[in-house]
Amino acid sequence: MNPEISEAIQTRMLAGGVAGATIDAFLAAVEKVAKGERGQIPESTIEPVTELPSLESLPAAAAGTDDLLNQLAVIKLNGGLGTGMGLEQAKSLIRVKGEDTFLDFIAKQILHLRTRSGAPKLAFYLMDSFSTQADTLAHLKKYPELAVDGDLDFLQSKVSKLDAKTLLPVTWAASPEMEWCPPGHGDLYPSLLGCGLLDKFLRRGIKFLFVSNSDNLGATVDLRLLNHFAASGNSFLMEVATRTAADRKGGHLARRREDGRLLLRESAQCPAADETQFQDITRHQFFNTNNLWIRLDHLKAELEKCGGVLPLALITNSKTVDPRDAASPKVIQIESAMGAAIECFTKANAVLVPRSRFAPVKTTSDLLALRSDAYRITEDYLLVLDESRHGQPPVIDLDSKYYKLLADFEAAFPHGAPSLVKCDSLKVVGKKIFPANLVLQGKVEFSEPAD
């Protein structure tokens, strides 16, 4: 790579307060881009994964498994804003049930787990972003006992957007903050290393890490999985779920022909010619839930072997520096996925889990289901489907023209969610205000009257 590019990137990122480990990882990725790589994974280089162990097949947690909780750290990825719903604060601060937000549920789950187990100091942290940290920590002050060592979070980093022609850090005087972008959740590894938390965990005797997204309340500590992972001796375990038609455009698990290692292929890494195979859910059957189990001592050894930088698969996105202005300079944004680390370890595996462990809230339609009586709260603060639904959530389709933004959604349901426990599907077209005590059953559709 041209030394001028390397020096310019390093200077910009150091001035922006970015940690050295993240800079090293980013420079390694830029070097690949400079050589012409774009992170493409052709179909000819991979094979489908057809068989995996399932969570249901694992034995119940054995006696003594609680002791493993003393060797576990739980991290929730909490860097995202609710911009897709019109918010400018942490997405995890959206109310889910009553007045409880995602953060409230997560805090209560961790505190309950500590209370019922022999691990009152179970390690828990959030990976926040510069945009979410202040609001998050302010909200969690109501749980002073949540922080065991005084800290509750560490920061994910930021990386420079690069000029598409020169690969130099782009400048945009009209809005300098747009010169930066998130590095993707693959930044977990350099951030853990750079802030010293990885070494802190190891000094405390913590061997295992469970990491998941903060908007996925299905991703809880399952002692069967912890026991299975600890006994396996694996370095990395990915929870996957069966792809459906709704998941065909999302990433999938595969196996590399060259060395037999598992890998994760995202849509941005699929050549256009292979799109049909990529979207074939009978061929590529499993997708990454982003619930990961990692052996921290093995991670440290791999980082040391690789000079402090895991060689994560490249994800490049071509955009404009101001996404709202198509005439603004074209840039390349470089990202990485934390699940891509599955191919960095010789001893890595995946486990098939039920869809209930993957319940992220991406839209107000998802939120309406959780707020309704189709879901109930257990004594250990889990949100689970009512038993009468036999594992099938209601299918909800709210008109994005009127309900995409949280404020509009709240205005449409001023009395709370309707009863959906006996509702198979709900489709709403047009603007409506829903009354109190509304009970919906079977297949329901509200449509604007014809002109």
Side-chain angles (χ1 to χ4, degrees), residues 1-10 23-35 162 166-168 334:
M1 181 169 55
N2 186 325
E4 179 187 353
I5 296 174
S6 177
E7 183 177 350
I9 291 172
Q10 191 160 10
I23 296 175
D24 291 343
F26 187 65
L27 287 173
V30 176
E31 185 169 3
K32 292 180 181 179
V33 173
K35 291 178 180 178
L162 304 179
T166 66
L167 293 185
L168 290 168
I334 299 177

Side-chain angles (χ1 to χ4, degrees), residues 395-430:
V395 177
I396 301 177
D397 180 9
L398 300 181
D399 192 331
S400 61
K401 181 178 179 181
Y402 298 101
Y403 308 102
K404 178 180 180 180
L405 303 182
L406 187 64
D408 294 336
F409 168 79
E410 300 279 18
F413 296 93
H415 307 287
S419 172
L420 299 177
V421 69
K422 295 184 179 180
C423 181
D424 298 321
S425 63
L426 169 63
K427 183 175 183 179
V428 182
V429 179

